[in-house]
Amino acid sequence: RLLGPADAARSVAVCRTWRLLASDNALWAFFLSLGPDPWDLVVFAETHLAAGPAQPRRLPLPPLSSSPLPPHAARAFPFWRPRFVRLTNSNSTVPCVRSVYFGTVRVPPQLSFKRIYGQRALVPGSIIVDGGSGYCKYGWSKYAAPSGRCATFLEFGNIESPMYARLRHFFSTIYNRMHVKPSARPIVVALPLCHSDDTEAARASRKQYKETLYSVLFDMNVPAVCAVDQALLALYAARRTSGIVVNIGFNVTSVVPIFQGRVMREIGIETVGQGALKLTGFLKELLQRRNISFESLYTVRTIKEKICYVAADYEAELCKNTQASCEVDGEGWFTLSEERFKMAEILFQPQIGGVRAMALHKAVSLCMDHCYNTEVLRDHSWFKTVVLAGGSSCLPGLPERLEKELHKLLPPYISEGIRVLPPPFGTDTAWFGAKMIGTVSTFSDAWCINKKQFRQKSRHSGSSLVNAWR
């Protein structure tokens, strides 16, 4: 029926009210806060990750300086050689500090959450694979945690096989375990830190690995691929785009400087020759000294994860009663005392375990010295946030001890403001960083590459590197 003047006026008023309500940015922010992803991670992702990955740039290097090392570092690093890099200024958007609140939700005014809400609803669920150096985590981007784990070195196939065959075997295993066809969903892959030097050979090796990875996945008919460095993902999970990531891997520990979403290989990645395997092996040795029997290295790793920690003061800890017990399924109870913190002390005093490697705090200090001697927007605060990553970085007391050692080793003009953050999501930190990318509103357009784009890029670059890896 036709509406009369009064009913028509009421309908117009109702429509205008709904339109006004639907255009309220705070309302859509409230709806997003009710979703499965934490509100602070959503805001960080949409503010800093929506534009896509930072574009690589070759930065001009000044001549090597012959200036001596500062006295504080000369004592710790007698082998040091000056390394300086001059970075060009880059435009960056700084989020507005003003904000409004909807209930208890802080709403940054520069984001359109109505648009973001609609775009995030259309983002396809992707498969996330974090192929760690020891253990692999995989699952769906829409899930709250990884759905499965496996030992990377066991699933990678025969180490003597060509890289193409090994990668194909690895991803085939993941898809089979997830009971999904490769062609069904995009994939986000955490790239391991390999060939970390800033040399032509290292850059070529990284390019080979990445092109082989793309070739394998597109040959399996994956619709789109996103590949990001593990260290960068760990930094994103901590809601940062600049800082230093200390990744305690299976065999080595890497200290990675990152500025505005880009790994700064020009500054230098420090690599320490000990990781989780050395820690577990040293704990095994300590248990054997006390004639404590166990069935496998898995038992030792379980004990390490349950009751081991990092001492704030090693000498003082030796005078305390630190006895504690834990139960390992199928093997009963184990009681340890000073072995609980002696195991991790080799990170700071490698000689205790007979390890010839640089101490962790000295490697981080060396990286900070290199960062301090760069010119990045005349800002010396970007490298003062240290984010820990990797399974062994979850040891209680490690962030506090590392921060303490850095303050002791570095002068005040560098050490002031240093913060060492524990892994924000434990052993799954890199996986959650990939999840943030896989759910951002611009994921498909800004972060992914499809088969057609990959082939075009390969033709334009005249690359035949993929075939060499088969």
Side-chain angles (χ1 to χ4, degrees):
R1 66 183 178 87
L2 296 177
L3 297 178
D7 291 336
R10 280 194 293 269
S11 298
V12 170
V14 169
C15 291
R16 286 177 177 174
T17 302
W18 276 110
R19 186 181 303 163
L20 181 63
L21 184 62
S23 63
D24 186 352
N25 203 36
L27 176 65
W28 293 100
F30 178 71
F31 288 158
L32 276 172
S33 71
L34 298 178
D37 299 320
W39 170 246
D40 54 344
L41 296 185
V42 172
V43 173
F44 173 82
E46 298 299 338
T47 303
H48 298 281
L49 306 183
Q55 296 302 316
R57 299 171 301 185
R58 299 305 306 154
L59 303 176
L61 296 177
L64 286 178
S65 170
S66 59
S67 59
L69 189 67
H72 75 276
R75 293 188 297 272
F77 314 119
F79 48 83
W80 185 85
R81 296 292 181 272
R83 264 192 303 181
F84 298 94
V85 57
R86 186 180 305 278
L87 304 183
T88 57
N89 291 348
S90 59
N91 296 326
S92 61
T93 58
V94 180
C96 180
V97 296
R98 294 175 296 173
S99 60
V100 298
Y101 287 81
F102 189 91
T104 59
V105 179
R106 182 179 180 275
V107 184
Q110 74 272 20
L111 298 178
S112 172
F113 286 104
K114 178 181 178 182
R115 174 186 57 79
I116 291 172
Y117 185 90
Q119 289 180 340
R120 288 176 75 96
L122 298 176
V123 171
S126 56
I127 292 172
I128 298 175
V129 178
D130 173 19
S133 55
Y135 294 89
C136 169
K137 282 78 69 176
Y138 55 89
W140 294 95
S141 61
K142 302 293 185 181
Y143 286 3
S147 57
R149 292 172 173 81
C150 64
T152 303
F153 58 88
L154 291 179
E155 307 297 344
F156 227 82
N158 185 355
I159 197 170
E160 301 297 331
S161 302
M163 179 59 69
Y164 183 95
R166 293 168 61 197
L167 284 173
R168 178 128 190 168
H169 173 73
F170 175 70
F171 285 107
S172 297
T173 302
I174 298 299
Y175 280 113
N176 289 335
R177 291 191 175 189
M178 293 188 66
H179 304 289
V180 62
K181 293 181 179 180
S183 59
R185 300 289 180 183
I187 187 171
V188 183
V189 181
L191 293 174
L193 190 67
C194 57
H195 308 291
S196 57
D197 296 338
D198 186 44
T199 62
E200 290 296 334
R203 286 193 290 271
S205 296
R206 289 195 297 271
K207 183 178 180 181
Q208 279 186 329
Y209 177 81
K210 203 167 184 178
E211 290 194 353
T212 306
L213 176 73
Y214 283 134
S215 181
V216 166
L217 292 171
F218 288 133
D219 287 349
M220 296 173 69
N221 295 320
V222 175
V225 179
C226 170
V228 188
D229 286 331
Q230 282 177 333
L232 193 54
L233 294 174
L235 191 66
Y236 288 161
R239 303 192 304 280
R240 304 288 193 281
T241 58
S242 298
I244 293 177
V245 175
V246 177
N247 182 42
I248 303 180
F250 191 68
N251 289 304
V252 298
T253 296
S254 302
V255 182
V256 187
I258 298 173
F259 177 68
Q260 292 185 354
R262 198 174 72 86
V263 176
M264 304 301 294
R265 301 182 191 273
E266 297 91 338
I267 292 177
I269 297 174
E270 304 299 332
T271 303
V272 179
Q274 61 176 338
L277 188 60
K278 283 279 178 66
L279 293 174
T280 305
F282 185 51
L283 180 58
K284 173 187 174 182
E285 181 182 332
L286 294 174
L287 295 178
Q288 289 172 337
R289 290 178 190 174
R290 287 191 52 195
N291 296 319
I292 298 177
S293 60
F294 47 87
E295 289 188 1
S296 66
L297 207 59
Y298 171 79
T299 303
V300 181
R301 185 169 69 91
T302 304
I303 295 173
K304 178 185 77 173
E305 294 172 353
K306 286 192 172 183
I307 59 174
C308 289
Y309 65 97
V310 178
D313 186 325
Y314 179 68
E315 297 299 331
E317 205 75 10
L318 287 171
C319 302
K320 298 179 182 178
N321 179 13
T322 57
Q323 184 171 303
S325 301
C326 70
E327 184 179 14
V328 178
D329 293 341
E331 293 201 48
W333 287 86
F334 293 84
T335 301
L336 277 64
S337 183
E338 61 184 26
E339 298 84 8
R340 297 177 59 205
F341 61 88
K342 266 190 174 182
M343 179 272 302
E345 190 62 24
I346 65 171
L347 290 172
F348 300 94
Q349 301 186 62
Q351 69 277 7
I352 291 178
V355 179
R356 295 177 59 87
M358 189 189 303
L360 178 62
H361 60 293
K362 292 184 178 181
V364 179
S365 299
L366 184 58
C367 183
M368 287 187 168
D369 266 313
H370 295 157
C371 293
Y372 183 80
N373 288 305
T374 64
E375 296 180 4
V376 180
L377 304 176
R378 297 180 180 179
D379 176 20
H380 293 302
S381 64
W382 67 272
F383 58 85
K384 294 188 177 183
T385 297
V386 179
V387 177
L388 301 179
S392 294
S393 66
C394 298
L395 287 168
L398 180 56
E400 296 80 5
R401 173 68 180 279
L402 179 56
E403 188 171 315
K404 173 185 173 182
E405 297 292 343
L406 291 175
H407 280 283
K408 287 169 57 178
L409 187 59
L410 292 167
Y413 62 86
I414 295 181
S415 64
E416 183 181 0
I418 287 178
R419 294 180 60 205
V420 180
L421 306 180
F425 295 96
T427 59
D428 300 331
T429 294
W431 190 91
F432 273 91
K435 172 180 165 66
M436 291 172 62
I437 291 176
T439 56
V440 74
S441 60
T442 57
F443 169 65
S444 299
D445 295 329
W447 287 91
C448 288
I449 181 173
N450 58 38
K451 187 174 184 177
K452 181 178 179 181
Q453 293 169 329
F454 172 67
R455 299 303 183 197
Q456 288 177 343
K457 184 177 180 181
S458 298
R459 283 198 299 269
H460 290 162
S461 62
S463 172
S464 59
L465 294 173
V466 173
N467 294 329
W469 280 67
R470 288 180 183 262

